[in-house]
Amino acid sequence: MKNERRVISVIVKNEHSVLSRITGLFAARGYNIEALTVAPIPESDMSRLTIETRGNVRVIEQIIKQLHKLIPTYKVIEHEEMIEKEMVLIKFPINESLANIQALCEAYNGGIANVSSHHIITMVADEPKRVKHFIEAARRFHPEEIVRGGVVAMERE
Amino acid sequence: MQMSGARMVIEAMRLEGVDTVFGYPGGAIMNVYDEIYKQNDFKHILTRHEQAAVHAADGYARATGKVGVAFVTSGPGFTNAVTGLATAYMDSVPLVVISGQVPLSLIGTDAFQEIDATGISRACTKHNYLVRSAAELPRILKEAFYIAASGRPGPVHIDIPKDVTAEMAEFVYPDHVDIPTYRPTTKGNIRQIKKAVEAICEAKRPVFYLGGGVIHADAAELVRELVALTQIPAVETLMARGTLRHDDPLLLGMVGMHGSYQANMAMSEADLMIALGPRFDDRVTGKLSEFAKHARIIHVDIDPSSIGKLVSVDYPIVGDLKEVLAVMTPKLKERVDPARYEAWRKILARYNEIHPMRYEDSDEVIKPQWVIQRVGELLGERAVVSTDVGQHQMWTAQFYPFSYPRQLITSGGLGTMGFGFPAAIGAKRGRPDKISVNFSGDGSILMNIQELVTAVESRLPVVNIILNNHYLGMVRQWQTFFYDKRYAETDLSFQPDFVKLAEACGGVGYRVESKEAFDEALKDAVDKGVVAVIDVVVDRYENVLPMVPSGGTLYNMMLEFKD
Ligand SMILES: Cc1ncc(C[n+]2csc(CCOP(=O)(O)OP(=O)(O)O)c2C)c(N)n1
């Protein structure tokens, strides 16, 4: 069975140690988490987790069922048709070309977030694959630090 | 009404109809124990070890179908209880275990007897709670009982800081539970059920594969009806023993590593497997790629994650077995033709003639299987039977004539040595009308032997029968088969005088070296209604057979072992 990348959203009750229940589940059953984002859902007592994982069909099915089984889990959404975005911050030395960096960022839906006497910080939010390309392209400006935010996803319809 | 958190715990027990709590006090849970002192609603049974408290609650739950309850203190009290939680978790037994915790203000400071209890129990409970205030305690207690018993049952752990048990708050016990995130599916999908019925009617070689879910769902009666109606042969897992009567001609016996030849062959040659509440454990399936190769599979289970976890299922039905069978059986009644499976039944009967479940009895030494059969003859349905873990457990499952569900109480999933005796105490408490018998080994019995004191003090007579082979027999057997008889650390020749040990604790001990003496000892223990230890010296080198070696295939069983 082929290993594939999957993005799963989990809506959970916002309660004590709910995150450790989820990460504990992944650890205990040997599933892997490539990326994870969590934030409360506005005006509710729920949080939304977006988990990027890998596995064959059976593993993915088990992950979804096991997530469901956790008592605080309200809903597990396995995305078919979705919008995925990821954010990344990159810090460059000030002696790199600001104009070139800006042009690159704009090509990837981003821009300059901050410029100080020592650094340029850029921000890009785009599809995960494009974020990866952006990071590759940014290499030639000698990035000092790269912070990726993990995927967030939403159903198209 | 305003009351302390500790009082709330007691009130909840009353409202949940709890008649017995097994436990062991300590600093962090003293407020609760102080309230136990003041009440008369339930009996508290003081075990002599927290592990035993949880096993006893577990035995009580397995024997009765009710939720078992245990109380322990923080730190070491809780960690001692963990094996009990894990045992119950693996076998889906409904428990509520309450532990004390250091006061909220001290949590996270490595205080005296502080341990991250919910962090530990997360991996071996269905759900757990760290209580933050007395105000939320009524809801949590109510939810705990509900979660433990509903859906796929399991243990729930509540960790209560000492200041929360002292805190006063309003007590209103909810009369129902509404957890939007927890709504187990109980009704099976009608379309799937219809398709399954279709498949059964079209099959030539169907077999029922009955698992522990049948017992948990209290569905044994319905299963008996279904089997009788269809005349389809059935195998039982260790956890399902007693679903069918031992003398039911359609019962092929236990399936799996030490299952009967005909049961394992039926699984291997079936063209349709009707799996009711099993979990396709590796001790049952053997090598997965060879398991039920020719069969399509119907799997009914309350837990969706159990379906398709290990093998692909053709007809998945998520639901409560009782509800599913209530729909399925009438449909089958209209359509099924029991004569259709006649040829298949004959084939299986033939397998059983070739290789029946058997052992070679002897006049020189007592065979462990004889002891079990003998107890079956003498006590039969009058006994509720617990076991520890090892050879004696498998022989009990193979040779005891079980005749009702919940008659066998054994740690299947975790395989916990030391489970049997405390579980038998709990079973006796839950089923005082039965004779509580615990089959144990000379290894296992020592893992909770201190419970002799509990049983004597609480007047809960348990007849412990030690099948004493002076070995850690099951491990010794593997060493014989797979390690060239290098008996590393399994020889238990040096052992206590079990008769004196029993007596020292106020029980009665018997040492038995002949069949006659065994009959006498058992009769004496049962007639007197005492806590007994019957130490039966059995054949040291008897092996559990047949056997499917770990990772082997069900149709390739080791039927005998030749040196
Ligand atoms: C707590 C625990 N420790 C170790 C084991 C591994 N184990 C499985 S069977 C067995 C031997 C049991 O010996 P005994 O109780 O004498 O029973 P017998 O097999 O001789 O009938 C052991 C050590 C276990 N199942 N549980």
Side-chain angles (χ1 to χ4, degrees), chain B residues 543-558:
Chain B
N543 294 316
V544 183
L545 290 167
M547 177 170 187
V548 179
S550 210
T553 55
L554 286 188
Y555 55 80
N556 210 348
M557 310 186 70
M558 188 193 280

Side-chain angles (χ1 to χ4, degrees), chain B residues 492-521:
Chain B
L492 298 186
S493 295
F494 180 76
Q495 47 181 238
D497 180 331
F498 285 110
V499 174
K500 282 194 195 148
L501 190 52
E503 285 166 359
C505 299
V508 180
Y510 308 83
R511 172 125 174 136
V512 164
E513 291 179 74
S514 73
K515 289 180 174 176
E516 297 71 36
F518 178 74
D519 280 13
E520 276 169 34

Side-chain angles (χ1 to χ4, degrees), chain B residues 60-255:
Chain B
Y60 174 95
R62 291 189 207 227
T64 61
K66 295 195 269 183
V67 176
V69 182
F71 292 175
V72 300
T73 192
S74 70
F78 169 75
T79 53
N80 272 347
V82 171
T83 302
L85 285 171
T87 303
Y89 181 63
M90 288 295 280
D91 288 342
S92 307
V93 178
L95 296 185
V96 170
V97 174
I98 296 180
S99 57
Q101 180 55 281
V102 302
L104 283 170
S105 55
L106 288 182
I107 286 182
T109 65
D110 302 313
F112 177 63
Q113 296 194 326
E114 180 189 1
I115 198 77
D116 175 10
T118 48
I120 292 172
S121 70
R122 190 173 307 129
C124 54
T125 51
K126 181 171 173 185
H127 196 50
N128 61 14
Y129 297 89
L130 172 59
V131 184
R132 309 259 152 171
S133 71
E136 61 177 12
L137 200 45
R139 173 187 58 83
I140 288 175
L141 287 159
K142 179 79 190 174
E143 280 183 12
F145 277 88
Y146 174 72
I147 290 171
S150 58
R152 179 179 185 164
V156 177
H157 167 220
I158 310 177
D159 199 31
I160 317 181
K162 188 167 185 179
D163 46 355
V164 173
T165 54
E167 190 190 346
M168 301 293 287
E170 186 64 21
F171 181 79
V172 180
Y173 203 61
D175 51 12
H176 78 293
V177 175
D178 181 34
I179 312 173
T181 57
Y182 175 69
R183 302 233 160 93
T185 313
T186 56
K187 280 207 170 33
N189 180 302
I190 286 283
R191 292 235 321 274
Q192 287 292 349
I193 294 177
K194 278 190 185 149
K195 280 199 217 158
V197 166
E198 202 73 24
I200 293 171
C201 293
E202 278 163 20
K204 291 205 177 76
R205 299 185 308 278
V207 64
F208 282 110
Y209 164 25
L210 308 175
V214 175
I215 310 286
H216 296 307
D218 280 323
E221 261 325 301
L222 290 173
V223 169
R224 285 183 183 196
E225 193 189 322
L226 181 62
V227 170
L229 168 77
T230 56
Q231 293 289 303
I232 293 172
V235 305
E236 288 175 351
T237 66
L238 176 64
M239 304 316 292
R241 291 308 254 161
T243 299
L244 300 181
R245 280 188 59 91
H246 63 95
D247 50 7
D248 189 325
L250 290 164
L251 175 61
L252 304 172
M254 184 167 71
V255 65

Side-chain angles (χ1 to χ4, degrees), chain A residues 11-13 15-17 20-25 28-29 46 58 61-62 65-66 68-75, chain B residues 89 118 122-123 125-130 132 139 147 152 179-182 303-312:
Chain A
I11 317 285
V12 294
K13 186 121 187 286
E15 62 182 28
H16 172 70
S17 79
S20 63
R21 285 185 207 282
I22 296 197
T23 52
L25 169 71
R29 297 199 178 254
M46 302 276 176
R58 173 167 289 156
E61 190 186 314
Q62 264 298 306
K65 286 178 170 176
Q66 293 293 345
H68 254 299
K69 198 162 143 179
L70 295 174
I71 308 287
T73 302
Y74 182 64
K75 210 165 156 188
Chain B
Y89 181 63
T118 48
R122 190 173 307 129
T125 51
K126 181 171 173 185
H127 196 50
N128 61 14
Y129 297 89
L130 172 59
R132 309 259 152 171
R139 173 187 58 83
I147 290 171
R152 179 179 185 164
I179 312 173
T181 57
Y182 175 69
D303 176 5
S305 73
S306 192
I307 298 179
K309 180 174 69 174
L310 294 155
V311 301
S312 307

